[in-house]
């Protein structure tokens, strides 16, 4: 009957173990090790050689169940890392790469984190699929304080460099508000999903403090998963120069992205044209007013001013008709007395 399996009997049954043994000897050791690794896959674990140590000491961190050949970071963090890596001693962290079985072993110097204990040793992946695990640790001599309330909706962190997408149009060239879209890839390191998280976007120019604005992203980031978040960013009208775009989640600054905004040369061109057109218009209006208010020339006005009236002869300006020298007066010299 098709599809029916019949158990081997007799010699065939005895040959099955021998065949399996031969296959095991024929397989390469890497394949056998890979099969064993897959069979032993389990939850990610982090173990510490010591549960308590003081500043200046060192501990050994080991782990299993991680992704093979994955790059991990090891940090000592305060407040159970509720505030993200801002609560960790980042300057004293270490990096390690897992082996082909997903295991690692690495020494870690003990440093005091910037936040009080309870403290943890935080292990997280740097690239690829995000994964993290914590192990409780006590830093001897470090202050201890009650844990703050963890923000509801998971614990988000940035997994990739941010990007500002978009371009300026013609209206921006004439002073319209520059606009961009901030794109970040975030991962949820918490145990609860982050549903419709509220981010705070800030923009700053030079030494001025950022101007913050809350924006709610519509979506859900499941625990241990990642998502791409896109948020609009807008500056004031006429803004130009070097700006800095910041993104916060709760009290934690996730990213800071520089933004160089070009000068709105259309506004400059408008003012230059305005400075040329207005003086010319004022000059033309003034000339038109002068032309209207000045007196018109008439024939009598022209004769009074010594100009030649139409059809007449010109008169000298410094003689009047009755004082002009006579043309009939003799010009001969008078003879002296007693002359012939």
């Amino acid at each position: 009957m098709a599809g029916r399996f019949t158990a081997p009997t007799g010699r065939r049954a005895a040959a099955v173990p021998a065949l399996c043994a031969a296959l095991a000897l024929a397989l390469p050791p890497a394949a056998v090790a890979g099969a064993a690794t897959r069979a032993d896959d389990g939850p990610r674990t982090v173990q510490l050689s010591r549960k308590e140590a003081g500043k200046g000491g060192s501990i050994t961190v080991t782990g299993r169940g991680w992704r093979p050949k994955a790059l991990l970071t090891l940090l000592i963090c305060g407040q159970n890392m509720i505030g993200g890596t801002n609560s960790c001693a980042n300057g004293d962290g270490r990096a390690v790469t897992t082996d082909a079985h997903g295991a690692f072993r690495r020494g870690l110097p003990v440093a005091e984190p910037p936040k009080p204990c309870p403290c943890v040793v935080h292990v997280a992946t740097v690239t690829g699929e995000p994964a993290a695990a914590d192990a409780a640790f006590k830093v001897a001599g470090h202050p201890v304080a009650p844990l703050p309330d963890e923000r509801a909706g998971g614990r988000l962190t940035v997994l990739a460099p941010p990007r500002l997408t978009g371009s300026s149009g013609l209206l921006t060239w004439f002073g319209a508000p520059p606009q961009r879209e901030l794109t970040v890839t975030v991962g949820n390191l918490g145990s609860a999903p982050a549903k419709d998280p509220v981010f705070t976007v800030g923009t700053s120019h030079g030494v001025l403090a950022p101007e913050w604005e809350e924006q709610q992203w519509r979506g859900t980031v499941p625990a241990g998963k990642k998502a791409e978040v896109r948020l609009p960013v807008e500056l004031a009208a006429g803004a130009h120069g070097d700006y800095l775009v910041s993104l916060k989640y709760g009290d934690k600054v996730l990213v800071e992205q520089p933004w160089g905004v070009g000068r709105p040369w259309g506004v400059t061109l408008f003012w230059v044209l305005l400075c040329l057109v207005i003086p010319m218009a004022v000059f033309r209006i003034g000339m038109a007013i002068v032309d209207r208010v000045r007196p018109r020339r008439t024939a009598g006005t022209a004769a009074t001013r010594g100009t030649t009236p139409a059809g007449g002869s010109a008169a000298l300006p410094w003689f009047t008709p009755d004082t002009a020298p006579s043309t009939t007066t003799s010009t001969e010299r008078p003879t002296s007395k007693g002359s012939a």
Side-chain angles (χ1 to χ4, degrees):
M1 190 172 183
R4 185 175 179 179
F5 174 76
T6 304
T9 58
R11 293 182 178 179
R12 295 172 58 188
V16 170
L19 180 60
C20 292
L23 288 175
L25 293 175
L27 287 174
V32 177
T37 301
R38 287 192 296 269
D40 295 338
D41 277 347
R44 293 180 294 272
T45 61
V46 175
Q47 295 180 348
L48 309 178
S49 60
R50 302 166 62 184
K51 295 297 183 180
E52 179 179 353
K55 179 181 178 181
S58 63
I59 58 175
T60 301
V61 185
T62 57
R64 293 182 178 276
W66 297 82
R67 189 171 61 250
K69 302 299 181 181
L71 180 62
L72 309 178
T73 57
L74 285 65
L75 298 171
I76 296 180
C77 306
Q79 291 184 339
N80 283 355
M81 204 192 165
I82 289 179
T85 55
N86 289 338
S87 60
C88 302
N90 298 298
D92 297 288
R94 293 292 184 268
V96 63
T97 301
T98 59
D99 58 18
H101 305 282
F104 70 89
R105 181 184 180 89
R106 184 71 161 90
L108 179 65
V110 178
E112 293 187 349
K115 300 292 184 179
C117 286
C119 300
V120 295
V121 173
H122 178 73
V123 181
T125 55
V126 178
T127 59
E129 190 71 19
D134 297 335
F137 179 71
K138 183 177 181 180
V139 180
H142 192 60
V144 179
L147 290 176
D149 294 334
E150 184 173 1
R151 184 184 180 94
R155 192 170 66 202
L156 301 182
T157 187
V158 174
L159 304 178
R163 305 189 311 274
L164 281 174
T165 57
S167 60
S168 301
L170 181 62
L171 294 179
T172 306
W173 200 67
F174 282 96
Q179 297 178 346
R180 291 291 187 274
E181 192 174 58
L182 179 63
T183 303
V184 294
T185 301
V186 299
N188 186 359
L189 302 181
S191 58
K195 183 178 181 182
D196 297 338
V198 177
F199 297 93
T200 307
V201 180
T203 55
S204 60
H205 181 53
V207 297
L208 301 178
E211 297 181 1
W212 300 99
E213 178 186 4
E214 287 191 351
Q215 296 188 23
Q216 186 173 25
W217 180 73
R218 298 294 180 180
T220 302
V221 185
K225 301 296 183 180
K226 63 181 180 179
E228 189 176 75
V229 177
R230 297 174 180 267
L231 300 171
V233 182
E234 181 176 316
L235 301 178
H240 63 276
D242 295 328
Y243 283 80
L244 186 65
V245 180
S246 305
L247 180 67
K248 289 199 311 183
Y249 181 67
D251 296 330
K252 176 185 177 183
V253 178
L254 299 180
V255 296
E256 289 182 338
Q257 177 68 18
W259 179 11
V261 184
R263 182 181 295 273
W265 291 108
V267 178
T268 305
L269 179 62
F270 170 79
W271 284 110
V272 170
L273 294 177
L274 194 63
C275 292
L276 294 176
V277 170
I278 289 182
M280 293 179 62
V282 171
F283 176 76
R284 293 182 63 89
I285 293 174
M287 292 302 296
I289 295 175
V290 170
D291 188 60
R292 283 182 175 274
V293 300
R294 70 180 180 180
R296 299 292 181 180
R297 292 183 178 181
T298 60
T301 305
T304 303
R305 293 184 180 180
T307 57
T308 305
S313 60
L316 296 175
W318 56 87
F319 292 113
T320 58
D322 52 352
T323 61
S326 175
T327 57
T328 59
T329 306
S330 175
T331 59
E332 296 179 358
R333 291 182 63 184
T335 59
S336 61
K337 213 174 185 182
S339 63

